[in-house]
Amino acid sequence: MSTDSTAHGKTPTAHVSHHFRDANQEYESGKQGIWLFMVTEILMFGAILVGYSIFHAIYPEMFAEGAKSLDWKMGFINTLVLIFSSFTMAISISFVQKNQTKKAAIAMGTTILCGAIFMCIKYFEYTHKFHLGLYPGRYLDAAKVGAEHANLGMYFGFYYCMTGLHGLHVLIGMGLITWLLIRTIRGDFHSQYWIPVEGVGIFWHIVDLIWIFLFPLLYLVG
Amino acid sequence: MMWYNLAKAQSFMPTDGTEIAKQVDNLYGFLLITSFIACVLVIGGMIYFVHKYKRKSDNDKTAYISHNTTLEFLWSFIPLVIFLIVFAWGWYIYQDMRTMPKNAIEISVLGKQWAWEIEYKNGYKAVNEVVVPIGKDVKLLLAAQDVIHSFYVPSFRIKQDAVPGRYTALWFNANKLGEFHIFCTEYCGTSHSGMIGLLKVVTQEEFNSFMEKGQEEGQLPLVKRGEKLFALKACASCHSVDSPAVKVGPSLYKKFGSDEILEDGSKVAVDENYIRESILQPNAKIVKGYPRGIMPTFQGQINENELGALVEYVKSLSGK
Amino acid sequence: MGHSSAHGENYLNHEKGLWSWLTTVDHKRIGLMYMITVLFFFFVGGVMALLLRAELFAPNAVAGVGQVLKSGDIYNQVLTYHGAIMVFMVIIPGIPAILGNFFLPIHIGAKDVAFPKVNLASWYCFMFGASLAIGTFFASKIDTGWTFYTPYSIRTGTSTVMMVLGAFVMGMSSVLTGLNFIVTVHKLRAPGMTMHRMPLFVWALYSTAILQMLATPVLAITLLLLAAEKIFGVGIFDPKLGGDPVLFQHFFWFYSHPAVYIMILPAMGVVSELITTFSRKVIFGYTAIAYSSLGIAAVSFFVWGHHMFVSGQSSFAGILFSFITMLVGVPTAIKMFNWVATLYKGSIRFDAPMLYALGFMFLFAIGGVTGIMLAVLPIDVHFHDTYFVVAHFHYVMVGGTLMALMGGLYYWFPKMFGRMCSDAWARMSFVFIFIGFNVTFFPQFILGAMGMPRRYFDYIPAYETLNKVSTVGSWLIMAGFLISLYTLVRGLRSGEKAPMNPWGSKTLEWQTSSPPPHFNFDVEPIVTAGPYEYR
């Protein structure tokens, strides 16, 4: 934890909940809590990746056919967008720590915007696939799609489950950052208190990291 | 070794019908005895201490014993050794259980809701009844049609899941004549507990004549084959054949050649094609007053010959 | 419940009214809310159990008494709800969420858990998930068994998705509770409270929390995939579409085997507390017990395949899983020996909580040795999915976890409510439950050895006598729990005022008033010695 900052000529005081001894204890607890929660997130996505690898090994050609029908360019743009948003999220934390509230707010706003761009691109990808009849599982119209493998629906089952679950996390992340933004503008966070910003930041990085795994596995590995 | 035999006698295992079952029982007997000794030590020790060190007064002083490394090492090490012994012993028997013998008599077993369909190499089919010769290696090739079932013969101490979409197998070499229960041990729905079959161990001669009889069945008249198939596919559990009484579906007694009124009020003549359609696409035409979607389709499950036999049998019920 | 204690203000009367309870972030109040809901679900699951036993009183062919439930379908539904309710809503949350929530922070001298609001959210998750699960009862009843094995669960019923989502949400509640406990133990210990001065109950909860956190996410994704399978037919678990139903079992048991340790480890913790207190003696082998909890937690992640010895996995996998399962037996055995050694040269009192602890040891010894039998490959081939397994896990889950929960409730009742229960009535409840339990479940070992498969609506006549005995036993258990209910309610309404430390225990919760004040301690305690310094 950094020492007092007097950049703006005032010393904001830390807010400490009743059951903590001091701000440091609260900060350490909060940080450990959010990291532990991230472990559960990684395990959850890890398990679906295990399922993906198993079936990829059983039906390599079917998965290749599925991967071919995805547009890697869109996925790539999305990857860049998310990496950039991770950057803006990270600098927003350091702005908060330096009591530069306005810059922090702008960085957070950019992060939300990036999330929105990501979701828009995802939306176009999804609607395009629906248009082609590339639905998950039994709803995939093998005749219309001209699928070479009868169970191509399984690939899209994985595709929609993995990206859908990830997209849900992006939406939750955007909601959380919006909440941060409001509180930042209100002046709740400063050089003495920024746990929520850091917590959400870690969450956002993990969501980003998961995408970095999903993108090559779904779009590139064929 | 009297105590050992005593333990086995008290183990309540069903009669053993194979050599492997005997080996399993030996291991189980050993486990029962060691477990019993362990329980006597732990529970007996507990009861003894509890009795001996009962609180005498409110200011009793107790010994301050925080640990004892030797003792703790011993009671970690000794169980570990015992566990490893039974593991190795178990491994040894399990290898025998899972190594399929060569040149075994192969029998296919198909688990479906809620019956076992048995098919011998010569094409003879039966339901819920496996007949095997004594003293011969028999290999059962298991498959499942709908959900997971599990083929279990308690007297042989064998069990194997039948999983849809793949084959599994088990083998045995029966050394006792008689009839043994077959249970389904993987929960499979409504009549899970009714999926009971019989495993008959017979002499080689009996088995040979049984197989011949099965062979002959191929040459039976069409009607007879239809009758057999009707029983085999369990049609009789929903359709009565000897009276107009309604079970689940319409009675087939004297049905052929009559007219049926359908749910939309239209009439249809019961002829060969109608029967064929009703077997392959049961929901195409529903007779008035009967629910839709009860009868399963038999599309892809019976061949053209069998279909012909069934139609012939239904015809025969009208005395034509 | 809002009576005042000798000290005036306490956590019960700190605030008043239903709303103050529903919005509380006090870990003690949240513990009590869990208690009420879990006991309610226990009642529902118990009624289901009695129905099952009543049905099995005689084979269906016996006129008059043969058939209690109208059809196999209804029986299957009842057994599914019995299993799902007891596992997800009673045994898993039981000790951690009730006793753990209440006593973990007090045990380490903290004012609350690390994240009180998350703790409350966890209760709401639990309630929401439980409502979804119970809600299926009013939609279309599910009959998959609590294991949701595919492809049966894909083919049957429509509300399986709702049930599965319910279990998912309850899993989230479990994750949040576990996370909260871990951070609390790491960061919120009072001055002087080193890890090695924590009571063993805390160590047990700590190991449990690790399991809850690491195993539950896998169940979560498995259940989501099952729901996707059901809605979209993606074919991951459906052999008809090229999927693998055995993979579902792998995923499912990867969670559900650690889950059985989520159920039993806290119980072991409670028993460690009870044995030391009522023997007034330092626990034998503190370190061994503490670290064996962690050891069990670690190894339990690698034994899931022993549920699948006959499922069609390879022989090699079977051998490997059997071997590792043997290893997990060792730390469990260590604990048993340590408890017995703790009794040696103690000063033992037989209050009801101690009786429950001794009952636990008795039943858990039997559950333990039969567990070893089931881990031996060829023996398991015979016993798998028979009543032997049913008897084994009831000995561990009911004889173990539930006995410890009851013992813990009687032990901490004075602290929680500031009143004493009648010890005579409590002991009577023990006698009924203990005898009834053995009468119910011991015959099931024999039934299993004879070959009676589980989840059977009907059985062959050879199994009739033992089933009758078992059913009669279930009535004794019912009587025992009704007596317990009466005892607890009577204690609550008219029990005499509890002193600060009625049992003469050394752990921290007994150094504060009964019931504890809003922030647990009037002054933050400073710890200078271990939890069991009876000198």
Side-chain angles (χ1 to χ4, degrees), chain C residues 293-533:
Chain C
S293 294
L294 285 178
I296 290 174
V299 182
S300 72
F301 278 103
F302 305 99
V303 295
W304 78 87
H306 68 216
H307 295 265
M308 302 165 57
F309 284 157
V310 300
S311 72
Q313 69 179 4
S314 71
S315 306
F316 174 72
I319 291 160
L320 195 69
F321 282 122
S322 166
F323 177 74
I324 307 175
T325 306
M326 291 297 169
L327 297 185
V328 90
V330 177
T332 315
I334 290 175
K335 282 178 192 267
M336 280 303 294
F337 294 130
N338 278 317
W339 291 323
V340 176
T342 304
L343 297 172
Y344 174 71
K345 290 198 174 171
S347 162
I348 296 158
R349 258 180 70 165
F350 298 97
D351 298 283
M354 184 60 166
L355 287 185
Y356 275 101
L358 296 174
F360 169 97
M361 285 166 69
F362 184 98
L363 300 177
F364 192 73
I366 296 174
V369 293
T370 51
I372 290 296
M373 292 181 189
L374 286 172
V376 180
L377 285 160
I379 307 282
D380 182 72
V381 170
H382 180 56
F383 286 153
H384 179 81
D385 270 346
T386 64
Y387 262 81
F388 196 92
V389 175
V390 175
H392 160 70
F393 71 70
H394 279 91
Y395 261 82
V396 179
M397 304 285 87
V398 184
T401 310
L402 218 54
M403 292 298 264
L405 177 61
M406 293 309 293
L409 276 181
Y410 282 120
Y411 174 58
W412 279 305
F413 187 89
K415 184 54 66 182
M416 293 166 96
F417 301 105
R419 287 175 187 269
M420 301 297 288
C421 273
S422 153
D423 202 57
W425 279 97
R427 285 194 224 186
M428 178 130 88
S429 77
F430 168 78
V431 170
F432 271 90
I433 294 176
F434 181 77
I435 294 176
F437 180 83
N438 283 297
V439 173
T440 308
F441 291 105
F442 202 84
Q444 296 187 3
F445 280 124
I446 302 170
L447 281 172
M450 289 163 76
M452 178 172 167
R454 67 192 280 205
R455 295 177 170 179
Y456 260 32
F457 170 56
D458 196 6
Y459 49 83
I460 58 174
Y463 304 144
E464 188 176 345
T465 318
L466 287 167
N467 268 301
K468 279 208 160 54
V469 175
S470 183
T471 302
V472 172
S474 73
W475 302 335
L476 289 177
I477 301 182
M478 177 186 73
F481 278 113
L482 289 179
I483 296 171
S484 263
L485 182 70
Y486 169 76
T487 315
L488 292 174
V489 171
R490 189 161 165 265
L492 214 55
R493 291 172 62 94
S494 56
E496 50 185 286
K497 289 257 184 315
M500 193 190 238
N501 190 358
W503 317 116
S505 177
K506 295 281 184 191
T507 40
L508 276 183
E509 79 273 31
W510 302 106
Q511 321 305 325
T512 185
S513 52
S514 308
H518 181 52
F519 286 141
N520 297 345
F521 301 95
D522 293 329
V523 210
E524 187 179 35
I526 293 170
V527 183
T528 52
Y532 311 115
E533 296 295 313

Side-chain angles (χ1 to χ4, degrees), chain A residues 1 6 12 39 42 52 66 69 75 105 110 136 141-142 159-160 175 181 189 211:
Chain A
M1 192 168 160
T6 47
V39 169
I42 289 171
Y52 170 91
S69 55
T110 319
D141 192 340
Y159 172 78
Y160 287 111
L181 184 62
F189 304 125
W211 176 256

Side-chain angles (χ1 to χ4, degrees), chain B residues 50 55 58 62 66 159 187 190, chain C residues 73 143 280 285 348 350 384:
Chain B
V50 159
R55 186 166 299 182
D58 273 348
T62 57
S66 68
K159 180 182 291 142
Y187 172 69
T190 314
Chain C
D73 284 331
D143 65 343
R280 199 190 276 168
I348 296 158
F350 298 97
H384 179 81

Side-chain angles (χ1 to χ4, degrees), chain C residues 28-244:
Chain C
K28 300 182 285 301
R29 287 184 157 213
I30 294 173
L32 289 196
M33 299 206 300
Y34 268 113
M35 184 172 105
I36 294 163
T37 43
V38 167
L39 289 184
F40 171 74
F41 291 134
F42 177 63
F43 173 76
V44 178
V47 171
M48 301 283 174
L50 288 170
L51 282 175
L52 295 177
R53 276 317 325 164
E55 165 59 41
L56 293 172
F57 186 73
N60 290 345
V62 178
V65 291
Q67 211 161 336
V68 175
L69 299 173
K70 248 166 63 196
S71 70
D73 284 331
I74 294 176
Y75 178 85
N76 294 340
Q77 289 157 7
V78 174
L79 86 81
T80 302
Y81 283 102
H82 168 68
I85 290 175
M86 286 303 199
V87 170
F88 293 118
M89 303 178 210
V90 178
I91 304 280
I92 289 185
I95 296 179
I98 302 173
L99 300 174
N101 252 324
F102 201 106
F103 289 105
L104 179 125
I106 309 185
H107 263 158
I108 59 171
K111 284 185 188 149
D112 207 319
V113 291
F115 311 111
K117 283 179 198 149
V118 173
N119 202 13
L120 181 65
S122 171
W123 183 76
Y124 277 103
C125 274
F126 175 68
M127 287 313 287
F128 178 58
S131 317
L132 276 180
I134 298 272
T136 57
F137 197 80
F138 304 99
S140 72
K141 297 178 184 59
I142 60 155
D143 65 343
T144 57
W146 80 275
T147 48
F148 310 119
Y149 267 23
T150 55
Y152 187 78
S153 56
I154 301 172
R155 295 165 59 99
T156 179
T158 44
S159 55
T160 313
V161 173
M162 191 164 149
M163 183 71 170
V164 156
L165 290 181
F168 177 86
V169 178
M170 283 189 276
M172 230 154 87
S173 148
S174 185
V175 167
L176 293 178
T177 303
L179 185 150
N180 226 332
F181 284 1
I182 293 180
V183 179
T184 309
V185 167
H186 282 170
K187 300 290 178 193
L188 260 60
R189 301 192 307 276
M193 175 60 81
T194 59
M195 288 293 269
H196 287 103
R197 282 180 185 163
M198 295 193 309
L200 287 165
F201 181 50
V202 177
W203 270 103
L205 286 171
Y206 178 63
S207 314
T208 308
I210 294 174
L211 286 176
Q212 282 175 308
M213 264 201 37
L214 298 184
T216 318
V218 177
L219 177 74
I221 198 71
T222 310
L223 295 178
L224 280 187
L225 287 179
L226 180 59
E229 187 74 65
K230 197 97 185 136
I231 300 167
F232 301 118
V234 290
I236 296 170
F237 300 131
D238 190 346
K240 276 220 173 98
L241 304 166
D244 185 358

Side-chain angles (χ1 to χ4, degrees), chain B residues 55-184:
Chain B
R55 186 166 299 182
K56 311 276 181 332
S57 75
D58 273 348
N59 14 353
D60 279 357
K61 282 273 170 254
T62 57
Y64 190 85
I65 311 169
S66 68
H67 66 287
N68 179 330
T69 315
T70 326
L71 209 56
E72 286 178 78
F73 171 76
L74 276 182
W75 71 44
S76 318
F77 186 71
I78 294 171
L80 180 68
V81 171
I82 296 175
F83 293 167
L84 290 183
I85 289 172
V86 291
F87 161 72
W89 188 345
W91 181 1
Y92 177 75
I93 299 175
Y94 185 68
Q95 282 296 4
D96 275 359
M97 244 177 196
R98 298 306 310 161
T99 315
M100 296 297 149
K102 293 185 181 81
N103 309 322
I105 301 169
E106 276 191 25
I107 301 172
S108 302
V109 176
L110 177 75
K112 60 176 195 180
Q113 286 171 327
W114 291 279
W116 299 104
E117 232 176 77
I118 319 294
E119 190 173 352
Y120 297 87
K121 268 279 136 70
N122 65 0
Y124 176 60
K125 282 185 181 176
V127 165
N128 289 343
E129 190 180 272
V130 186
V131 179
V132 298
I134 190 168
K136 284 276 159 63
D137 288 343
V138 177
K139 180 178 169 186
L140 300 183
L141 207 60
L142 302 173
Q145 181 179 308
D146 31 44
V147 300
I148 302 177
H149 302 276
S150 192
F151 188 92
Y152 175 38
V153 185
S155 293
F156 293 179
R157 319 282 186 270
I158 51 170
K159 180 182 291 142
Q160 179 63 51
D161 282 8
V163 184
R166 66 164 77 172
Y167 290 109
T168 51
L170 45 75
W171 79 276
F172 57 86
N173 187 328
N175 61 13
K176 275 205 182 90
L177 293 174
E179 296 183 350
F180 304 98
H181 280 293
I182 301 168
F183 291 128
C184 174

